Amino acid sequence: MEIDFDRLIRRILQDQTTDWHGIHGLTHWGRVYANGMKVAEQSGANVKVVELFAFFHDSQRWNDGFDLGHGQRGAEYAATLRGEYFDVTDEEFELLYIACRDHTNGCTEADVTIQTCWDADRLDLGRVYITPIAKKMCTTAAKDPATIAWATKRAEREIVPSIVSEIWHEQRG
Ligand SMILES: [Fe+2]
Ligand SMILES: [Fe+2]
């Protein structure tokens, strides 16, 4: 089954526990998705897992500040939509689960698919006026100054990626 991202994102937004337009909201998810696709081209990550990570990893935050449990909650929430909104193998789900659960703790050592997820997230730090540093990235692709510059420019300008733009405009009203 191909993933219907429009349907999946709308469902995640319904269940989301913070502001859809906040710093961990819809446009962040969209940029993490785009960052992930760019890094995956070089890293060889499982693209499906990286795509799903983008929309689940910050979906169950209780606030936009210090909320260490949100990775674990996002991982568990993903399990509740599996089968109804997306299909993955057990191996893929394991990767998605670990990527979500552990994205909050600053690690760099993991399977390349998980590393790509974490890099995709960190590459969007420009939205909160932090320039990502290569040392904290996991993959060669994300350590590339050109990748960091590309992603940071998009983050600072709060670009609304095409994967979420229709929903973004609807939500804004
Ligand atoms: Fe997060
Ligand atoms: Fe994030």
Side-chain angles (χ1 to χ4, degrees):
M1 165 177 99
E2 281 294 301
I3 300 171
D4 180 346
F5 279 102
D6 192 68
R7 177 170 171 263
L8 174 67
I9 295 165
R10 285 172 199 277
R11 172 60 198 265
I12 295 174
L13 278 176
Q14 272 176 23
D15 296 337
Q16 192 197 11
T17 41
T18 50
D19 271 354
W20 67 273
H21 54 79
I23 56 170
H24 301 100
L26 186 64
T27 64
H28 170 58
W29 304 348
R31 286 189 304 270
V32 172
Y33 175 95
N35 293 344
M37 294 308 95
K38 192 170 180 77
V39 174
E41 275 174 27
Q42 284 182 53
S43 73
N46 180 310
V47 168
K48 203 177 194 181
V49 172
V50 178
E51 289 175 334
L52 289 165
F53 171 85
F55 300 107
F56 281 112
H57 79 285
D58 280 338
S59 68
Q60 294 296 302
R61 277 185 159 268
W62 286 342
N63 60 63
D64 276 321
F66 190 74
D67 176 4
L68 257 190
H70 77 272
Q72 176 84 48
R73 288 196 301 275
E76 281 161 17
Y77 172 64
T80 69
L81 299 193
R82 185 182 175 190
E84 198 187 334
Y85 285 82
F86 65 93
D87 280 322
V88 289
T89 65
D90 288 346
E91 291 75 18
E92 287 171 331
F93 191 77
E94 179 79 5
L95 292 169
L96 175 63
Y97 190 94
I98 296 169
C100 287
R101 184 191 67 193
D102 295 345
H103 85 272
T104 48
N105 62 20
C107 285
T108 54
E109 289 304 316
D111 177 278
V112 71
T113 294
I114 297 172
Q115 289 182 316
T116 301
C117 293
W118 294 344
D119 282 350
D121 188 26
R122 289 167 199 169
L123 282 168
D124 198 41
L125 279 170
R127 77 193 189 285
V128 288
Y129 313 107
I130 297 170
T131 303
I133 51 173
K135 199 172 71 183
K136 297 215 171 156
M137 294 293 162
C138 312
T139 65
T140 307
K143 287 175 187 288
D144 184 339
T147 307
I148 292 175
W150 174 83
T152 299
K153 193 186 273 182
R154 288 165 56 85
E156 286 173 349
R157 292 177 184 174
E158 298 182 47
I159 293 287
V160 181
S162 56
I163 185 93
V164 298
S165 65
E166 195 183 314
I167 300 175
W168 163 260
H169 288 294
E170 263 179 45
Q171 297 272 337
R172 272 182 80 194

